[in-house]
Amino acid sequence: MASVFSMIVAGEIPCYKVAENDKFLAFLDINPVMPGHTLVIPKREVSYIFDMPDEEYVEFELFAKKVALGLKKAMPCVRIAEAVIGLEVPHAHIHLIPINNEGDMNFRNKQSLSGEEMSSIAARIASEIK
Ligand code: AMP
């Protein structure tokens, strides 16, 4: 069965997209730990990030870097933190999270923003990605 993220790639379920190219996609986490919390995924379904071949992994990180630079401009913060967890969704992904202190990176503090807020945040981030 396809992962929930592969269903997003296929357009079978919606997402708040912030960037994509032919290989990778970035969209808002549906339950952000901070506003602007973004997930970056390979479009190809690969379960575990560290199983990716080196070349693909490097390209993936470079795409995530581009997203992180735009995210920092769109959501003013001290740093964009990057995390890999992968316990919930078996499709490789990088979490990019705007943080001002260590406590902002709290995966037990998931939020739920309105669809309007999510759309507006996604559009703001997308407009800052070069
Ligand atoms: P993990 O696999 O532990 O890194 O966590 C998966 C993340 O994906 C969680 O932060 C979820 O909130 C997020 N998530 C799960 N389903 C969706 C979805 N349909 N759209 C956006 N984010 C999702």
Side-chain angles (χ1 to χ4, degrees):
M1 195 186 135
S3 75
V4 65
F5 292 169
S6 284
M7 291 170 80
I8 288 176
V9 171
E12 290 163 9
I13 57 175
C15 73
Y16 298 97
K17 182 162 70 180
V18 305
E20 75 176 322
N21 66 15
D22 57 331
K23 293 183 185 150
F24 308 111
L25 173 68
F27 55 93
L28 295 186
D29 192 297
I30 202 76
N31 289 125
V33 301
M34 285 288 284
H37 180 171
T38 296
L39 300 177
V40 189
I41 67 167
K43 290 185 173 176
R44 179 176 89 84
E45 187 164 329
V46 46
S47 172
Y48 184 48
I49 187 171
F50 300 121
D51 282 337
M52 290 170 94
D54 288 357
E55 201 180 315
E56 184 184 19
Y57 176 76
V58 169
E59 265 189 85
F60 183 39
E61 279 288 355
L62 287 174
F63 182 78
K65 177 181 175 184
K66 209 163 78 147
V67 174
L69 293 175
L71 181 54
K72 177 94 167 45
K73 285 192 187 141
M75 308 297 289
C77 59
V78 176
R79 286 280 193 257
I80 299 299
E82 177 177 308
V84 170
I85 304 179
L87 290 173
E88 188 186 317
V89 178
H91 183 132
H93 55 282
I94 290 170
H95 295 257
L96 296 176
I97 303 172
I99 60 165
N100 297 307
N101 58 64
E102 235 177 52
D104 287 341
M105 189 85 169
N106 180 359
F107 285 88
R108 293 193 170 142
N109 180 34
K110 299 259 180 119
Q111 302 168 24
S112 185
L113 305 182
S114 71
E116 215 170 274
E117 282 175 293
M118 293 288 272
S119 295
S120 130
I121 290 170
R124 205 183 323 153
I125 299 167
S127 75
E128 294 291 357
I129 295 173
K130 304 293 168 227

